[in-house]
């Protein structure tokens, strides 16, 4: 196995250890996990250990940095002098030689990693602020190459004379990098589901069509069916040919511009007809999945680690008073219920118009039992 290969292994004291070694073998970066949970009012600390062989440092120091960055262009264009990467947050620490600055107590994860690395292990810890975005990837198109656009977090161990001197060239063989994810889980307390209704009047019809849509809960988990209650009261002289349920993902890129993208992630039609002076009350169950949207360029996905599957991006949960601009990418979902109305009479389609109502949807993962709030 190459020295710079990203590896994970089982440990007697931990479920899994993530390791990345530099090509020259002088440093190795160890983490106990790669998913760090944003609890809205606090974030898991990023704790790890660097194993160091000081024999060939040549007077240089060993540093570790944590960067939250937003990439909004193709990586290969950077070589022609166009930078499409913006660092949102950056912090570095000197790991070796040890400094005289006070250090926090080692975490349980670090103690387990130090038993693996021995005396050559040096712990580090980063405390992430609560106003940083979660990891999000914008899905590339079928022919796109290079690193995908989005928000990512990277822990980098490196050998250098100074921590952040732009004039100092740091060789790739002197670095070890691991991408991590900042993620959110569904909150413990969930509110009641939304409801919306609309009355639509038609030309050449004295009375309207009334449409109502609602869900029992405000939040649903990735991969679970979403039951949507639809009520139609057709007092018009039109015929509702069918009912259409769609779910849209809106990605609001707030960091560098006011770009907002809306993409349909689910659209299903149901052949329920509602004649004039008739009603319909029915529950439709739909499930938005990434598997049905794998070729849609620009779709927001939860941040992806190498060789791991991902899913549609979770809804962004914003703490009160938070600056939206620093979040980089905001993701939200909307359910649309549509009564598709047929034209009729002499004027035909000129007198027809679909009736649509919208309700918000929050889409997230449930909090695992071992995650402490």
């Amino acid at each position: 196995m190459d020295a710079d290969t990203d590896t994970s292994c089982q440990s007697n004291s931990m479920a899994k250890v993530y390791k990345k070694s530099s090509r020259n073998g002088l440093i190795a970066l160890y983490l106990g996990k790669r998913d760090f949970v944003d609890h809205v009012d606090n974030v898991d600390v990023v704790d790890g250990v660097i194993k160091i062989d000081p024999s060939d440092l040549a007077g240089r120091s060993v540093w570790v940095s944590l960067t939250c960055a937003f990439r909004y262009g193709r990586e290969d264009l950077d070589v022609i002098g166009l930078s499409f990467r913006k660092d949102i947050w950056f912090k570095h620490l000197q790991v070796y030689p040890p400094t005289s600055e006070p250090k926090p107590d080692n975490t349980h994860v670090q103690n387990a990693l130090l038993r693996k690395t021995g005396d050559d292990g040096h712990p580090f810890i980063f405390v992430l602020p609560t106003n940083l975005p979660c990891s999000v990837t914008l899905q590339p198109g079928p022919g796109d190459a290079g690193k995908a656009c989005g928000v990512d977090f990277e822990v980098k161990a490196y050998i250098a004379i100074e921590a952040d001197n732009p004039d100092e060239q740091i060789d790739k063989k002197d670095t070890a990098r691991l991408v991590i994810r900042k993620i959110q889980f569904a909150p413990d307390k969930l509110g009641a589901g939304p409801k919306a209704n609309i009355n639509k009047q038609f030309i050449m019809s004295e009375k309207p069509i009334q449409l109502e849509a609602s869900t029992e809960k405000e939040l649903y988990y990735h991969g679970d069916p979403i039951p949507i209650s639809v009520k139609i009261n057709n007092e018009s002289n039109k015929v509702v040919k069918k009912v259409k349920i769609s779910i849209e993902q809106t990605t609001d890129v707030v960091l560098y511009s006011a770009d907002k993208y809306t993409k349909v992630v689910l659209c299903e039609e149901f052949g329920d007809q509602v004649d004039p002076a008739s009603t319909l009350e029915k529950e439709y169950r739909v499930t938005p999945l990434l598997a049905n949207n794998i070729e849609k360029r620009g779709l927001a996905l939860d941040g992806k680690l190498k060789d791991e599957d991902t899913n549609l991006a979770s809804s962004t949960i914003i703490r009160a008073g938070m600056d939206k601009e620093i979040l980089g990418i905001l993701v939200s979902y909307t359910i649309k219920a549509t009564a598709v109305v047929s034209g009729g009479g002499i004027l035909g389609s000129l007198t027809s118009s679909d009736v649509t109502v919208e309700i918000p949807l929050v889409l997230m993962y449930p909090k695992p039992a071992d995650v402490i709030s």
Side-chain angles (χ1 to χ4, degrees):
M1 183 177 292
D2 295 338
D4 64 333
T5 300
D6 185 355
T7 64
S8 63
C9 57
Q10 302 296 321
S11 170
N12 293 333
S13 55
M14 304 181 62
K16 185 177 284 189
V17 173
Y18 296 93
K19 174 188 175 183
K20 188 70 173 289
S21 299
S22 62
R23 293 180 183 177
N24 58 20
L26 295 179
I27 54 175
L29 175 60
Y30 289 80
L31 294 175
K33 62 181 181 179
R34 296 179 74 174
D35 284 343
F36 296 84
V37 181
D38 179 351
H39 304 278
V40 181
D41 57 352
N42 67 86
V43 185
D44 289 351
V45 296
V46 179
D47 49 352
V49 168
I50 299 176
K51 186 176 182 180
I52 301 171
D53 176 3
S55 62
D56 197 24
L57 293 181
R60 297 172 296 171
S61 300
V62 177
W63 310 81
V64 62
S65 65
L66 176 56
T67 306
C68 170
F70 179 59
R71 178 175 292 280
Y72 51 95
R74 295 211 322 268
E75 190 174 25
D76 57 349
L77 293 179
D78 288 357
V79 299
I80 62 173
L82 298 174
S83 178
F84 292 92
R85 176 185 174 93
K86 179 178 178 62
D87 288 348
I88 302 173
W89 184 85
F90 172 82
K91 189 171 183 179
H92 61 261
L93 302 169
Q94 181 175 322
V95 177
Y96 185 88
T99 67
S100 58
E101 295 182 6
K103 295 180 176 59
D105 294 336
N106 291 340
T107 64
H108 294 300
V109 169
Q110 288 175 319
N111 286 331
L113 293 173
L114 288 168
R115 286 192 289 271
K116 185 175 182 65
T117 59
D119 294 338
D120 294 330
H122 298 264
F124 65 88
I125 192 166
F126 290 102
V127 178
L128 285 169
T130 56
N131 62 348
L132 294 181
C134 288
S135 301
V136 178
T137 297
L138 299 182
Q139 180 167 258
D144 293 344
K147 185 178 290 188
C149 299
V151 174
D152 61 39
F153 291 78
E154 182 185 75
V155 181
K156 180 176 76 171
Y158 58 101
I159 303 170
I161 298 174
E162 297 182 43
D164 191 24
N165 183 351
D167 295 327
E168 182 179 2
Q169 296 294 323
I170 300 174
D171 199 301
K172 286 186 176 181
K173 66 181 177 59
D174 291 328
T175 65
R177 306 167 183 257
L178 280 173
V179 174
I180 63 173
R181 290 191 296 195
K182 178 173 171 284
I183 59 176
Q184 285 182 329
F185 292 118
D188 296 325
K189 296 181 180 179
L190 303 179
K195 178 190 293 187
N197 58 72
I198 187 174
N199 287 354
K200 182 68 175 287
Q201 196 77 40
F202 295 87
I203 300 174
M204 309 295 290
S205 180
E206 293 183 359
K207 294 185 177 181
I209 292 178
Q210 302 168 17
L211 171 64
E212 178 183 290
S214 63
T215 54
E216 289 184 359
K217 302 182 296 182
E218 66 172 348
L219 185 150
Y220 288 88
Y221 299 142
H222 289 289
D224 286 354
I226 301 171
I228 302 164
S229 296
V230 174
K231 297 180 182 179
I232 299 175
N233 181 13
N234 186 4
E235 297 181 328
S236 74
N237 58 10
K238 304 295 179 182
V239 175
V240 175
K241 296 188 297 183
K242 56 188 174 182
V243 174
K244 181 169 68 175
I245 302 293
S246 60
I247 297 179
E248 294 180 347
Q249 179 197 79
T250 298
T251 303
D252 192 359
V253 182
V254 296
L255 184 66
Y256 69 96
S257 69
D259 289 347
K260 183 176 287 189
Y261 309 94
T262 297
K263 296 184 180 295
V264 177
V265 296
L266 178 141
C267 185
E268 295 186 17
E269 295 183 349
F270 303 88
D272 294 310
Q273 181 169 304
V274 187
D275 293 324
S278 299
T279 62
L280 172 73
E281 186 170 340
K282 188 171 181 179
E283 181 180 272
Y284 300 94
R285 301 174 70 87
V286 297
T287 308
L289 297 171
L290 175 58
N292 300 326
N293 296 276
I294 56 174
E295 292 190 356
K296 289 184 179 177
R297 177 187 279 111
L299 195 66
L301 316 177
D302 277 341
K304 184 176 182 180
L305 298 177
K306 185 179 179 181
D307 299 327
E308 290 189 15
D309 291 333
T310 186
N311 49 266
L312 294 172
S314 295
S315 301
T316 305
I317 302 298
I318 302 176
R319 180 170 46 84
M322 184 179 292
D323 182 4
K324 291 184 178 181
E325 288 190 5
I326 199 173
L327 289 175
I329 297 176
L330 304 178
V331 178
S332 60
Y333 292 89
T334 302
I335 297 172
K336 289 186 175 182
T338 300
V340 180
V341 180
S342 63
I346 299 175
L347 298 179
S349 61
L350 294 177
T351 62
S352 68
S353 179
D354 295 344
V355 185
T356 300
V357 68
E358 301 181 6
I359 53 176
L361 168 67
V362 179
L363 199 60
M364 301 189 78
Y365 268 120
K367 185 182 296 180
D370 59 348
V371 172
I372 302 173
S373 298

